Amino acid sequence: MRSTHTRRSRRRVLALGLCAALLAGCASGIAGLAAPDPEALARAGKPLGYTPSDFPIEYAGNAAADQIARDALDDITAYYSSFYPDVFGHEFEPPTGGYFSIAPGEGHQSGCMDGPDDQIIEDNAFYCPRHDEVAYWRPLLARYAQDYSDMQVGLVLAHELGHTIQAREDVFDVRSIVAETQADCFAGVWAASVAAGRDPHFSYNPADLDETLLAWALELPSEVGSDPDARGQHGSAFDRVSALQEGYEQGPEACRDNFDDHRVFTQAEFSATELQSADPGNAPYDMAVAYAQTVFGGFYADRFTELGGTWVAPTLEFGAADEPSCASAETVSYCEVANTVFISDADALQRVHDEYGDFGMITAMGLAYGTAAIVQLGFSVADPQAMPAASCLTGAVASALTSVNPYRISLSPGDFDEATVMLLSADRGNSIVDTGGVSAFARMDAFRAGVKGGVTSCGVTG
C-alpha cells in the first residue's frame, strides 16, 4: 500500500429468510449476499458404499496420494462428461495420452518428459497438449493431502483437466493468466459437484473447502509484483481464489464465458520506484495503522448517505477497554457501547502486519470498521450475515483504492493477496478477529462481492 503524499441509528431486527420472503410486515435482515453457504451442507468422510477407484494411472502404486488421484480423476472425468454436451455441444474427450504418477528415484517418465530426471515435473502437476496427457509429482500430492485435504489433491487434478477443455475448445490462444484462472474456474465447478453429493469417491466437508481456498492462496499464485502478461503467469492469490469461487457458484457456463483477454486481474508488476524499497509495496506498521484510520474513516464518511445512515467515526484505542462489555479476546474488535475500534495488543497487531503484510493488517482492521458501519446502519452484530457484510464493505473500500480517490492512498501489487490470505486464515482458532463462526469461503466470497459491486452489493443499504 502506498500514499501519494508524505506519509447512532435505531437497531433493525433480524429476519429469517423465509419470513423476509413470505410474510408481510417482517423486519429486514442483511440482504444481498446470497451465495451458496458451504456451512449449510453436511460434513462427511467418504460416501456410503465407497469403493476405491481403479482408474488407470501409469506408475501409480499403493501410495495414499495415488489412490486419492485415482478417485479424483474417476469422479472429475465423469462429472465433466455429464455437463459437457449442454455447455459445449459435444461429448467430453478425456486425455488420450493417459495419466502419469511420477516420483523421484523410480526411473519413470511421461511422454512429455525428456527423462526421469526432467525438472518439469518436480513439485508440479501439468497437462501437456503435445501428448494430450496429465502428469503429477506424487510427493507434491502427498504433501497437499497431508497439509490441506484430499480435496486439494482433487482440485489440482480438476485444474489440469480444465486445461484439456481449453485444448478441446481451442481456446489456448489467450494470455497465460487467463488460461490458468479459467482452469481454476473449472476446478471450482467440480468442487460444487462434490458439495452437491454427486461424486461417488468424495464426500463434502466445508472445512476441506476452506483449507483448499487457503492452499490456492498460499501455494499456487505467481510471484507478487511479477508481470501479469508474462508467459506462464498464473495470477495473484485473489485472482486464483476468485476464479475457483466463480466456478463453484456460477457453474461451467461462467468458466466458458467469463475468461478472455478482457478479464480484469489484480496481479500487477512492481514499479521501478517500488522495487527500490527493501520491502516493495509494504508500508511500515505505524504508517499502515494511520492509513487504516484515514481510509476507513474517510470512505464511510463519504458513502454513508448512500447507505442510508449518518457516520459517526469510531475512536481507535489500544489496550484493555475500560468498559467491561467491550472486553474482547481478539486483537481487533469493535465495541458498540463505546463506538470504539479496540486493538487489545499492539504487539499482536504488529505481528499481523509482519505476517500478512500491511494490507492484511488493514483488512483485519477493516472488518472492525465494517462492523461499526453495520451497527450504525441499524443491524445487530449477532446477525448471521454481519461478518459477510463487514467483509463485503471492506472489499468495497479496497476497490475504491484501486482508482483515483480523495484519500491519496492507493494499493500496491500484492495487497489483494495479503487481504485474501488474512481473510482465509482468520478462522475460529485465530485470535485476530471474531469471525462469528462464518466460513472462510463466505468471508472471501463477500469480500469479492464488495470489490466487484461496491457498497450497494453488501445488503446493508437503508
Side-chain angles (χ1 to χ4, degrees):
M1 191 167 199
R2 61 184 182 271
S3 172
T4 57
H5 59 78
T6 303
R7 299 212 221 251
R8 170 121 61 152
S9 303
R10 183 172 59 87
R11 176 63 45 77
R12 279 184 274 177
V13 181
L14 297 180
L16 298 176
L18 285 177
C19 176
L22 301 178
L23 302 179
C26 291
S28 61
I30 297 174
L33 297 168
D37 178 12
E39 293 287 4
L41 297 159
R43 304 181 70 89
K46 289 292 184 182
L48 291 174
Y50 164 76
T51 301
S53 171
D54 59 359
F55 191 93
I57 303 174
E58 193 75 18
Y59 312 129
N62 296 322
D66 281 332
Q67 187 56 58
I68 298 169
R70 291 187 189 98
D71 291 346
L73 289 168
D74 201 346
D75 288 0
I76 296 161
T77 54
Y79 183 59
Y80 283 9
S81 297
S82 71
F83 70 68
Y84 215 83
D86 289 339
V87 176
F88 293 103
H90 56 92
E91 300 296 324
F92 175 63
E93 180 186 354
T96 57
Y99 307 84
F100 297 84
S101 172
I102 307 296
E106 295 181 354
H108 297 145
Q109 67 184 78
S110 74
C112 284
M113 293 170 58
D114 291 337
D117 297 323
D118 190 340
Q119 295 298 301
I120 190 176
I121 189 62
E122 188 171 346
D123 285 328
N124 195 17
F126 63 70
Y127 166 69
C128 175
R130 179 161 51 94
H131 286 275
D132 197 30
E133 68 177 31
V134 170
Y136 61 82
W137 185 248
R138 192 184 311 139
L140 177 69
L141 266 58
R143 182 173 70 80
Y144 280 168
Q146 177 177 332
D147 291 353
Y148 302 104
S149 68
D150 291 5
M151 188 77 168
Q152 169 68 1
V153 173
L155 285 168
V156 166
L157 296 172
H159 168 99
E160 300 308 333
L161 283 172
H163 285 313
T164 72
I165 295 175
Q166 295 166 333
R168 303 299 182 258
E169 304 308 315
D170 195 26
V171 293
F172 263 139
D173 59 340
V174 291
R175 292 181 295 160
S176 293
I177 192 171
V178 177
E180 295 299 337
T181 51
Q182 185 180 46
D184 290 340
C185 183
F186 283 115
V189 170
W190 178 67
S193 172
V194 175
R198 300 188 185 100
D199 294 70
H201 299 102
F202 285 81
S203 244
Y204 181 71
N205 181 330
D208 288 349
L209 184 57
D210 283 356
E211 283 292 307
T212 290
L213 291 180
L214 182 59
W216 236 248
L218 292 175
E219 302 274 0
L220 303 180
S222 290
E223 183 180 357
V224 171
S226 59
D227 181 1
D229 295 326
R231 183 183 177 93
Q233 176 66 250
H234 282 60
S236 70
F238 181 87
D239 295 333
R240 300 206 67 175
V241 170
S242 294
L244 193 149
Q245 289 194 305
E246 198 166 323
Y248 183 96
E249 294 173 350
Q250 299 179 33
E253 294 84 359
C255 307
R256 179 195 64 196
D257 298 338
N258 297 352
F259 291 80
D260 56 31
D261 281 334
H262 300 293
R263 187 176 174 89
V264 176
F265 296 96
T266 65
Q267 182 73 29
E269 197 169 10
F270 280 128
S271 68
T273 301
E274 287 169 325
L275 288 173
Q276 291 175 1
S277 169
D279 190 6
N282 216 31
Y285 165 73
D286 290 339
M287 188 177 292
V289 172
Y291 285 172
Q293 290 178 277
T294 297
V295 168
F296 293 114
F299 180 87
Y300 289 119
D302 292 342
R303 304 299 297 275
F304 233 54
T305 301
E306 179 182 351
L307 292 172
T310 301
W311 174 247
V312 180
T315 58
L316 179 65
E317 295 187 17
F318 289 78
D322 295 332
E323 165 60 49
S325 65
C326 293
S328 173
E330 284 74 37
T331 301
V332 185
S333 63
Y334 172 69
C335 178
E336 178 183 353
V337 173
N339 190 29
T340 298
V341 171
F342 275 107
I343 309 300
S344 63
D345 185 338
D347 291 338
L349 187 66
Q350 180 147 14
R351 287 193 294 272
V352 173
H353 172 276
D354 295 344
E355 180 176 355
Y356 296 104
D358 61 350
F359 202 66
M361 184 200 76
I362 288 170
T363 299
M365 294 179 67
L367 297 178
Y369 279 94
T371 302
I374 291 164
V375 168
Q376 292 188 30
L377 288 168
F379 296 99
S380 169
V381 294
D383 190 321
Q385 290 299 319
M387 176 51 63
S391 300
C392 181
L393 290 170
T394 306
V397 177
S399 181
L401 297 178
T402 63
S403 58
V404 177
N405 61 74
Y407 323 117
R408 301 174 69 185
I409 293 170
S410 59
L411 300 186
S412 297
D415 281 341
F416 274 101
D417 298 60
E418 293 165 5
T420 298
V421 173
M422 199 291 299
L423 287 164
L424 295 176
S425 299
D427 57 20
R428 292 172 185 168
N430 191 297
S431 62
I432 300 173
V433 293
D434 182 0
T435 63
V438 174
S439 70
F441 185 104
R443 292 193 299 274
M444 187 64 211
D445 196 55
F447 181 82
R448 290 194 312 111
V451 170
K452 183 176 181 180
V455 293
T456 57
S457 65
C458 299
V460 293
T461 304

Coordinates of all heavy atoms in Angstrom, one line a residue, residues 370-438:
G370 N -16.0 -2.1 9.4 CA -17.2 -2.6 8.7 C -18.3 -3.0 9.7 O -19.5 -2.7 9.5
T371 N -17.9 -3.6 10.8 CA -18.9 -3.9 11.9 C -19.5 -2.6 12.4 O -20.7 -2.5 12.7 CB -18.2 -4.7 13.0 OG1 -17.7 -5.9 12.4 CG2 -19.2 -5.1 14.0
A372 N -18.6 -1.6 12.7 CA -19.1 -0.3 13.1 C -20.2 0.3 12.1 O -21.2 0.8 12.5 CB -18.0 0.7 13.3
A373 N -19.9 0.1 10.8 CA -20.8 0.6 9.8 C -22.1 -0.1 9.9 O -23.2 0.5 9.8 CB -20.2 0.5 8.4
I374 N -22.1 -1.4 10.1 CA -23.3 -2.2 10.1 C -24.1 -1.8 11.3 O -25.4 -1.6 11.2 CB -22.9 -3.7 10.2 CG1 -22.3 -4.2 8.9 CG2 -24.1 -4.6 10.6 CD1 -21.6 -5.5 9.0
V375 N -23.5 -1.7 12.5 CA -24.2 -1.3 13.7 C -24.8 0.1 13.5 O -26.0 0.3 13.9 CB -23.3 -1.3 14.9 CG1 -23.9 -0.6 16.1 CG2 -22.9 -2.7 15.2
Q376 N -24.1 1.0 12.9 CA -24.7 2.4 12.8 C -25.8 2.4 11.7 O -26.5 3.4 11.7 CB -23.5 3.4 12.4 CG -22.6 3.6 13.6 CD -21.5 4.7 13.3 OE1 -21.8 5.6 12.6 NE2 -20.4 4.5 13.9
L377 N -25.8 1.4 10.9 CA -26.9 1.3 9.9 C -28.1 0.6 10.5 O -29.2 0.4 9.8 CB -26.5 0.6 8.6 CG -25.5 1.4 7.8 CD1 -24.9 0.6 6.7 CD2 -26.3 2.6 7.1
G378 N -28.0 0.2 11.8 CA -29.2 -0.4 12.5 C -29.2 -1.9 12.5 O -30.3 -2.5 12.9
F379 N -28.1 -2.6 12.2 CA -28.1 -4.0 12.2 C -27.4 -4.5 13.5 O -26.6 -3.8 14.1 CB -27.4 -4.6 11.0 CG -28.2 -4.3 9.7 CD1 -27.7 -3.3 8.9 CD2 -29.2 -5.0 9.3 CE1 -28.4 -2.9 7.7 CE2 -29.9 -4.8 8.1 CZ -29.5 -3.7 7.3
S380 N -27.6 -5.8 13.8 CA -27.0 -6.4 15.0 C -25.8 -7.1 14.6 O -25.7 -7.8 13.6 CB -28.0 -7.3 15.7 OG -27.3 -8.1 16.7
V381 N -24.8 -7.1 15.5 CA -23.5 -7.9 15.2 C -23.8 -9.4 15.4 O -23.1 -10.2 15.0 CB -22.4 -7.5 16.2 CG1 -21.9 -6.1 15.9 CG2 -22.9 -7.6 17.7
A382 N -25.0 -9.7 16.0 CA -25.4 -11.1 16.1 C -26.1 -11.6 14.8 O -26.3 -12.8 14.7 CB -26.3 -11.3 17.3
D383 N -26.3 -10.8 13.9 CA -26.9 -11.2 12.6 C -25.9 -12.2 11.9 O -24.7 -11.9 11.8 CB -27.1 -10.0 11.7 CG -27.8 -10.3 10.4 OD1 -27.7 -11.3 9.8 OD2 -28.6 -9.4 10.0
P384 N -26.4 -13.3 11.5 CA -25.5 -14.3 10.8 C -24.8 -13.7 9.6 O -23.7 -14.2 9.2 CB -26.5 -15.4 10.4 CG -27.6 -15.3 11.4 CD -27.8 -13.9 11.6
Q385 N -25.4 -12.7 9.0 CA -24.7 -12.1 7.9 C -23.8 -10.9 8.2 O -23.3 -10.2 7.3 CB -25.8 -11.6 6.9 CG -26.5 -12.8 6.2 CD -25.5 -13.6 5.4 OE1 -24.6 -13.1 4.7 NE2 -25.7 -14.9 5.4
A386 N -23.6 -10.6 9.5 CA -22.8 -9.5 9.9 C -21.4 -9.6 9.4 O -20.9 -8.6 8.9 CB -22.9 -9.3 11.4
M387 N -20.7 -10.7 9.7 CA -19.4 -10.8 9.2 C -19.2 -10.8 7.7 O -18.4 -10.1 7.2 CB -18.7 -12.1 9.8 CG -17.3 -12.3 9.3 SD -16.1 -10.9 9.5 CE -16.1 -10.7 11.2
P388 N -20.1 -11.5 7.0 CA -20.0 -11.4 5.5 C -20.2 -9.9 5.0 O -19.6 -9.5 4.1 CB -21.1 -12.3 5.0 CG -21.2 -13.4 6.0 CD -21.0 -12.7 7.3
A389 N -21.2 -9.2 5.7 CA -21.4 -7.8 5.3 C -20.2 -7.0 5.6 O -19.8 -6.1 4.8 CB -22.7 -7.3 6.0
A390 N -19.6 -7.2 6.8 CA -18.4 -6.4 7.1 C -17.2 -6.7 6.1 O -16.5 -5.9 5.7 CB -17.9 -6.7 8.5
S391 N -17.1 -8.0 5.7 CA -16.1 -8.4 4.7 C -16.4 -7.7 3.4 O -15.5 -7.3 2.7 CB -16.1 -9.9 4.5 OG -15.8 -10.6 5.7
C392 N -17.7 -7.7 3.0 CA -18.1 -7.1 1.7 C -17.8 -5.6 1.7 O -17.2 -5.1 0.8 CB -19.6 -7.3 1.5 SG -20.3 -6.6 0.0
L393 N -18.1 -4.9 2.8 CA -17.8 -3.5 2.9 C -16.3 -3.2 2.8 O -15.8 -2.3 2.2 CB -18.4 -2.9 4.2 CG -19.9 -2.8 4.3 CD1 -20.3 -2.4 5.7 CD2 -20.4 -1.8 3.3
T394 N -15.5 -4.1 3.4 CA -14.1 -4.0 3.4 C -13.6 -4.2 2.0 O -12.6 -3.5 1.5 CB -13.4 -5.0 4.3 OG1 -13.9 -4.8 5.7 CG2 -11.9 -4.8 4.4
G395 N -14.2 -5.1 1.2 CA -13.9 -5.2 -0.2 C -14.2 -4.0 -1.0 O -13.5 -3.6 -1.9
A396 N -15.3 -3.4 -0.7 CA -15.7 -2.1 -1.4 C -14.7 -1.0 -1.1 O -14.4 -0.3 -2.0 CB -17.1 -1.7 -0.9
V397 N -14.2 -1.0 0.1 CA -13.1 0.0 0.4 C -11.9 -0.3 -0.5 O -11.3 0.6 -1.1 CB -12.8 0.1 1.9 CG1 -11.7 1.0 2.1 CG2 -14.0 0.4 2.7
A398 N -11.5 -1.6 -0.5 CA -10.3 -2.0 -1.3 C -10.5 -1.6 -2.7 O -9.6 -1.1 -3.4 CB -10.1 -3.4 -1.1
S399 N -11.7 -1.8 -3.3 CA -12.0 -1.5 -4.7 C -11.8 0.0 -4.9 O -11.3 0.5 -5.9 CB -13.4 -1.9 -5.0 OG -13.7 -1.6 -6.4
A400 N -12.3 0.8 -3.9 CA -12.2 2.3 -4.1 C -10.7 2.7 -4.2 O -10.4 3.7 -4.8 CB -12.9 3.0 -2.9
L401 N -9.8 2.0 -3.5 CA -8.4 2.4 -3.5 C -7.7 2.0 -4.8 O -6.5 2.4 -5.0 CB -7.7 1.7 -2.3 CG -8.2 2.1 -0.9 CD1 -7.5 1.4 0.1 CD2 -8.1 3.6 -0.7
T402 N -8.4 1.3 -5.7 CA -7.7 0.9 -7.0 C -7.9 2.1 -8.0 O -7.3 2.0 -9.1 CB -8.3 -0.4 -7.6 OG1 -9.7 -0.2 -7.8 CG2 -8.1 -1.5 -6.6
S403 N -8.7 3.1 -7.7 CA -8.9 4.2 -8.6 C -8.6 5.5 -7.9 O -8.2 5.5 -6.8 CB -10.4 4.2 -9.1 OG -11.3 4.3 -8.0
V404 N -8.8 6.6 -8.7 CA -8.5 7.9 -8.1 C -9.4 8.1 -6.9 O -10.6 7.9 -7.0 CB -8.7 9.0 -9.1 CG1 -8.5 10.4 -8.5 CG2 -7.7 8.8 -10.3
N405 N -8.9 8.4 -5.7 CA -9.7 8.6 -4.5 C -9.2 9.8 -3.7 O -8.0 10.2 -3.9 CB -9.7 7.3 -3.7 CG -8.3 6.9 -3.2 OD1 -7.8 7.6 -2.3 ND2 -7.6 5.9 -3.8
P406 N -10.1 10.3 -2.9 CA -9.7 11.5 -2.2 C -8.7 11.3 -1.0 O -8.2 12.2 -0.4 CB -11.0 12.1 -1.6 CG -11.9 10.9 -1.5 CD -11.5 10.0 -2.7
Y407 N -8.4 10.0 -0.7 CA -7.6 9.7 0.4 C -6.1 9.7 0.1 O -5.3 9.6 1.0 CB -8.0 8.3 1.0 CG -9.4 8.1 0.9 CD1 -10.0 7.0 0.2 CD2 -10.3 8.9 1.6 CE1 -11.3 6.9 0.1 CE2 -11.7 8.8 1.5 CZ -12.2 7.7 0.7 OH -13.6 7.5 0.6
R408 N -5.8 9.9 -1.2 CA -4.4 10.0 -1.7 C -3.6 8.8 -1.2 O -2.4 8.9 -1.0 CB -3.8 11.3 -1.2 CG -4.5 12.5 -1.7 CD -4.0 13.8 -1.1 NE -2.7 14.1 -1.7 CZ -1.9 15.1 -1.2 NH1 -2.3 15.9 -0.3 NH2 -0.7 15.3 -1.8
I409 N -4.2 7.6 -1.1 CA -3.6 6.4 -0.8 C -4.1 5.3 -1.8 O -5.3 5.3 -2.1 CB -4.0 5.9 0.7 CG1 -3.4 6.9 1.7 CG2 -3.6 4.5 0.9 CD1 -3.9 6.7 3.1
S410 N -3.2 4.5 -2.3 CA -3.6 3.5 -3.3 C -2.9 2.2 -3.0 O -2.0 2.1 -2.1 CB -3.2 4.0 -4.7 OG -1.8 4.2 -4.8
L411 N -3.4 1.1 -3.6 CA -2.9 -0.2 -3.4 C -1.7 -0.5 -4.2 O -1.5 0.1 -5.3 CB -4.0 -1.3 -3.7 CG -5.3 -1.2 -2.9 CD1 -6.2 -2.3 -3.2 CD2 -5.0 -1.1 -1.4
S412 N -0.8 -1.4 -3.7 CA 0.4 -1.8 -4.4 C 0.2 -3.3 -4.8 O -0.7 -4.0 -4.3 CB 1.6 -1.8 -3.4 OG 1.8 -0.4 -3.0
P413 N 1.0 -3.8 -5.7 CA 0.9 -5.2 -6.1 C 1.1 -6.1 -4.8 O 1.9 -5.8 -4.0 CB 2.1 -5.4 -7.0 CG 2.3 -4.0 -7.7 CD 2.0 -3.0 -6.6
G414 N 0.2 -7.0 -4.7 CA 0.3 -7.9 -3.5 C -0.7 -7.6 -2.4 O -1.0 -8.4 -1.6
D415 N -1.3 -6.4 -2.5 CA -2.2 -6.0 -1.4 C -3.4 -6.9 -1.4 O -3.9 -7.3 -0.3 CB -2.6 -4.5 -1.5 CG -1.5 -3.6 -0.9 OD1 -0.6 -4.1 -0.2 OD2 -1.5 -2.4 -1.3
F416 N -4.0 -7.2 -2.6 CA -5.2 -8.1 -2.6 C -4.8 -9.5 -2.1 O -5.6 -10.1 -1.5 CB -5.7 -8.1 -4.0 CG -6.7 -7.0 -4.3 CD1 -6.3 -5.9 -5.0 CD2 -8.0 -7.1 -3.8 CE1 -7.2 -4.9 -5.3 CE2 -8.9 -6.0 -4.1 CZ -8.5 -4.9 -4.8
D417 N -3.6 -9.9 -2.4 CA -3.1 -11.2 -1.9 C -3.1 -11.2 -0.4 O -3.5 -12.2 0.3 CB -1.8 -11.5 -2.4 CG -1.7 -11.6 -4.0 OD1 -2.0 -10.6 -4.6 OD2 -1.4 -12.7 -4.5
E418 N -2.6 -10.1 0.2 CA -2.5 -10.0 1.7 C -3.9 -10.1 2.3 O -4.1 -10.8 3.3 CB -1.8 -8.8 2.1 CG -0.3 -8.8 1.6 CD 0.3 -7.4 1.7 OE1 -0.3 -6.4 2.2 OE2 1.5 -7.3 1.3
A419 N -4.8 -9.4 1.7 CA -6.2 -9.4 2.2 C -6.8 -10.8 2.1 O -7.4 -11.3 3.0 CB -7.1 -8.4 1.4
T420 N -6.5 -11.5 1.0 CA -7.1 -12.8 0.7 C -6.5 -13.8 1.7 O -7.3 -14.6 2.3 CB -6.7 -13.3 -0.7 OG1 -7.2 -12.4 -1.7 CG2 -7.1 -14.7 -1.0
V421 N -5.2 -13.8 2.0 CA -4.7 -14.8 2.9 C -5.2 -14.5 4.4 O -5.5 -15.4 5.1 CB -3.1 -14.7 2.9 CG1 -2.5 -15.6 4.0 CG2 -2.6 -15.2 1.5
M422 N -5.3 -13.2 4.7 CA -5.8 -12.9 6.1 C -7.2 -13.4 6.2 O -7.6 -14.0 7.2 CB -5.7 -11.4 6.3 CG -5.8 -11.0 7.8 SD -7.4 -11.2 8.6 CE -8.4 -10.1 7.6
L423 N -8.1 -13.1 5.2 CA -9.5 -13.5 5.3 C -9.6 -15.0 5.4 O -10.5 -15.5 6.1 CB -10.3 -12.9 4.1 CG -10.5 -11.4 4.2 CD1 -10.9 -10.9 2.8 CD2 -11.6 -11.1 5.2
L424 N -8.8 -15.7 4.7 CA -8.9 -17.2 4.7 C -8.3 -17.8 5.9 O -8.6 -19.0 6.2 CB -8.3 -17.7 3.4 CG -9.0 -17.4 2.1 CD1 -8.2 -17.9 0.9 CD2 -10.4 -17.9 2.0
S425 N -7.4 -17.1 6.5 CA -6.6 -17.7 7.7 C -7.4 -17.4 9.0 O -7.2 -18.2 10.0 CB -5.2 -17.1 7.8 OG -4.5 -17.3 6.6
A426 N -8.1 -16.3 9.1 CA -8.7 -15.9 10.3 C -9.9 -16.8 10.7 O -11.1 -16.3 10.6 CB -9.1 -14.4 10.3
D427 N -9.7 -18.0 11.0 CA -10.8 -18.9 11.4 C -11.0 -18.9 12.9 O -10.5 -18.1 13.6 CB -10.5 -20.3 10.9 CG -9.2 -20.9 11.4 OD1 -8.7 -20.4 12.4 OD2 -8.7 -21.8 10.8
R428 N -11.8 -19.9 13.4 CA -12.2 -19.9 14.8 C -11.0 -20.1 15.7 O -11.0 -19.7 16.9 CB -13.2 -21.0 15.0 CG -14.5 -20.7 14.4 CD -15.5 -21.8 14.5 NE -16.7 -21.6 13.7 CZ -17.6 -22.5 13.4 NH1 -17.4 -23.7 13.8 NH2 -18.7 -22.2 12.7
G429 N -9.9 -20.7 15.2 CA -8.7 -20.9 16.0 C -7.8 -19.7 16.0 O -6.6 -19.8 16.5
N430 N -8.2 -18.6 15.4 CA -7.3 -17.5 15.1 C -7.8 -16.3 16.0 O -9.0 -16.1 16.2 CB -7.4 -17.1 13.7 CG -6.4 -16.1 13.3 OD1 -6.4 -15.0 13.8 ND2 -5.5 -16.4 12.3
S431 N -6.9 -15.6 16.6 CA -7.2 -14.5 17.6 C -7.2 -13.1 17.0 O -7.3 -12.2 17.7 CB -6.3 -14.6 18.8 OG -4.9 -14.3 18.3
I432 N -7.1 -13.0 15.7 CA -7.0 -11.7 15.1 C -8.4 -11.0 15.2 O -8.5 -9.8 15.7 CB -6.6 -11.8 13.6 CG1 -5.3 -12.4 13.4 CG2 -6.6 -10.4 12.9 CD1 -4.9 -12.7 12.0
V433 N -9.4 -11.6 14.7 CA -10.8 -11.0 14.7 C -11.8 -12.1 15.0 O -11.5 -13.3 14.9 CB -11.2 -10.4 13.3 CG1 -10.3 -9.2 13.0 CG2 -11.1 -11.4 12.2
D434 N -12.9 -11.7 15.5 CA -14.0 -12.6 15.8 C -14.8 -12.8 14.5 O -15.4 -11.8 14.0 CB -15.0 -12.0 16.8 CG -16.1 -12.9 17.2 OD1 -16.2 -14.0 16.6 OD2 -16.9 -12.6 18.0
T435 N -14.7 -13.9 13.9 CA -15.3 -14.2 12.6 C -16.8 -14.6 12.7 O -17.4 -14.8 11.7 CB -14.6 -15.3 11.8 OG1 -14.7 -16.5 12.6 CG2 -13.1 -14.9 11.6
G436 N -17.3 -14.7 13.9 CA -18.7 -15.0 14.1 C -19.0 -16.4 13.6 O -20.2 -16.7 13.4
G437 N -18.0 -17.3 13.5 CA -18.3 -18.7 13.1 C -18.6 -18.8 11.6 O -19.0 -19.8 11.1
V438 N -18.3 -17.7 10.8 CA -18.6 -17.7 9.4 C -17.4 -18.4 8.7 O -16.2 -18.2 9.1 CB -18.8 -16.3 8.9 CG1 -18.9 -16.3 7.4 CG2 -20.0 -15.7 9.5

